[in-house]
Amino acid sequence: MTTSPAYAKKQASRHASAPILVVTGLSREAACLGGGAGVIPLCSGADVRLLHAALLDLAEVEFSAVVSFGLAGGLDPALRPGDLAVGTTATSDGER
């Protein structure tokens, strides 16, 4: 379930308030979202170049939030279905 930029723009224009962009790496993760109202899934296919291009295409769309969503099964073997993992910091090239 990959959302095209054209579809995202069309959906965003239909909502009274800005929708939430939910970025996933896998189509299986995007399928979990179910395409609810006010939520626009964007599957990167685990390819940073594709994600970058899609985000550039969506630059003119206003979103109320951007969420990175994933099943995160490989983070920690102690995690179980339904567990929530919330990051406390974001880093890029070793900088916070």
Side-chain angles (χ1 to χ4, degrees):
M1 177 180 178
T2 301
T3 299
S4 71
Y7 172 80
K9 290 175 187 176
K10 183 177 179 182
Q11 290 298 103
S13 69
R14 292 182 176 178
H15 300 285
S17 61
I20 298 170
L21 177 65
V22 181
V23 180
T24 69
L26 305 173
S27 58
R28 181 174 141 201
E29 294 164 338
C32 290
L33 300 172
V39 175
I40 299 189
L42 176 64
C43 179
S44 70
D47 183 327
V48 71
R49 291 173 296 161
L50 290 177
L51 176 59
H52 184 256
L55 290 173
L56 286 175
D57 285 344
L58 293 173
E60 65 191 49
V61 178
E62 182 178 336
F63 293 101
S64 60
V66 177
V67 177
S68 176
F69 169 77
L71 300 177
L75 288 177
D76 184 336
L79 292 174
R80 298 288 171 240
D83 286 355
L84 178 64
V86 178
T88 56
T89 60
T91 61
S92 175
D93 295 327
E95 295 183 23
R96 289 182 180 206

